[in-house]
Amino acid sequence: MSKLIRNALAATLPLVILALPAQAVTPRTLPARDGAHAPPIRTEPVQGVYNQSWYNYVADINEADKELNSDLKRATDREDRADAWEEYEVELADADKDYVKEMRQRGYKVGRVTVLAYND
C-alpha cells in the first residue's frame, strides 16, 4: 500500500470508528448467569486513549456478547447455559488480557482497583 493511501486511511479511519465507543458504554442487557453477575467489562480506554487496541477490545467484547446470546438461545439445559457462560467469561478475560498487554507495550500504565467490603 502506498504511503499516500496509508496517510489518507489513517486520517479518515478515526472518523469512521467514532461510533464504536458509544456502543461500549451502553448498559449490558445480557441475562445474568445463575447466581452470578456478568464479568466486568471496561467502559473507558486505558488513560483515555482511543487507539486501535481499544477498538479491537470493543470488537472482541461485542463478538463475545453475540456468541453468548446465540449460545444461550440454543441451550437446552442447565449444563449448556453454564458452558455458554464459562466460554463467555474466558473470552472476556482473553480480550482484557490482550488489550492490557498491548497498552503496556505501548508504554501506558494499566491498573485496576478492587474495593472489598467486609461485613462485621
Side-chain angles (χ1 to χ4, degrees):
M1 188 180 315
S2 75
K3 190 173 185 179
L4 178 64
I5 294 172
R6 268 195 310 246
N7 289 342
L9 287 175
T12 58
L13 188 60
L15 299 175
V16 173
I17 300 180
L18 282 176
L20 282 178
Q23 293 175 337
V25 296
T26 56
R28 311 308 283 165
T29 56
L30 297 171
R33 181 178 180 178
D34 294 339
H37 299 286
I41 298 172
R42 294 177 188 271
T43 57
E44 293 292 324
V46 171
Q47 294 186 3
V49 177
Y50 289 90
N51 58 12
Q52 192 59 45
S53 298
W54 170 251
Y55 298 119
N56 289 341
Y57 173 76
V58 171
D60 290 344
I61 297 303
N62 289 336
E63 180 65 26
D65 289 349
K66 288 178 188 177
E67 286 182 31
L68 175 63
N69 280 324
S70 174
D71 291 346
L72 290 175
K73 286 177 185 176
R74 288 192 318 261
T76 57
D77 59 9
R78 178 181 274 186
E79 186 176 334
D80 289 344
R81 287 188 296 278
D83 288 345
W85 275 101
E86 185 176 330
E87 181 181 341
Y88 178 67
E89 291 169 353
V90 168
E91 289 178 16
L92 291 184
D94 285 346
D96 192 68
K97 185 178 94 173
D98 292 344
Y99 174 60
V100 167
K101 181 179 177 183
E102 289 178 27
M103 292 304 282
R104 282 189 179 139
Q105 288 174 346
R106 294 171 188 233
Y108 295 100
K109 293 183 180 182
V110 180
R112 189 177 291 261
V113 176
T114 305
V115 179
L116 300 174
Y118 293 98
N119 294 332
D120 289 357

